[in-house]
């Protein structure tokens, strides 16, 4: 089986899916205690790097996605598919799993 080499520029989400770069998880608690890898929680904030063309309506037209490349978003904790490209972590999400745009 041949190996496939992926990069952010070669991944294009379909329909209402978005490709999100996950923000780094917290290394310390508020009190200054260092957290081991097993105790770190999965971050729920990330930056959108690719956006699909949008979902098709019943009449065949496309409904555009409400977010755009560069937006920081808050998404559901167990949503999406985790993807690792190089040392960076990404999540492929459906638009319905995005909870809010973070300013």
């Amino acid at each position: 089986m041949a190996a496939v080499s992926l990069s952010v520029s070669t991944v294009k989400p379909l329909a209402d899916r978005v490709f999100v770069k996950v923000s780094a998880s917290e290394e310390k608690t508020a009190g200054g205690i260092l957290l081991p890898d097993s105790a770190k929680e999965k971050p729920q904030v990330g930056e959108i790097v690719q956006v699909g063309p949008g979902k098709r309506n019943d009449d065949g037209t496309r409904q555009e996605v409400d977010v755009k490349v560069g937006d920081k978003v808050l998404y559901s904790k167990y949503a999406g598919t985790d993807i690792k490209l190089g040392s960076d972590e990404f999540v492929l999400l459906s638009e319905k799993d995005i909870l809010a745009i973070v300013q």
Side-chain angles (χ1 to χ4, degrees):
M1 191 158 144
V4 177
S5 140
L6 295 175
S7 70
V8 176
S9 61
T10 60
V11 176
K12 179 70 175 157
L14 300 175
D16 65 338
R17 304 251 191 305
V18 295
F19 200 54
V20 178
K21 182 175 183 184
V22 177
S23 297
S25 59
E26 294 294 322
E27 300 287 327
K28 291 184 187 180
T29 64
I33 299 172
L34 292 174
L35 294 171
D37 288 338
S38 60
K40 292 179 186 173
E41 287 198 26
K42 179 181 169 187
Q44 292 175 259
V45 177
E47 182 179 343
I48 297 185
V49 290
Q50 292 281 351
V51 178
K55 188 176 178 181
R56 286 209 184 267
N57 294 326
D58 292 336
D59 62 358
T61 60
R62 288 216 185 254
Q63 179 180 348
E64 288 190 23
V65 181
D66 290 334
V67 293
K68 61 187 179 307
V69 173
D71 285 348
K72 282 193 111 176
V73 293
L74 175 69
Y75 54 89
S76 298
K77 188 169 196 157
Y78 300 107
T81 302
D82 297 331
I83 300 170
K84 189 166 186 174
L85 299 177
S87 62
D88 295 328
E89 293 184 21
F90 297 89
V91 177
L92 186 61
L93 297 169
S94 180
E95 183 184 22
K96 68 181 179 181
D97 294 326
I98 297 174
L99 304 173
I101 296 175
V102 180
Q103 297 294 329

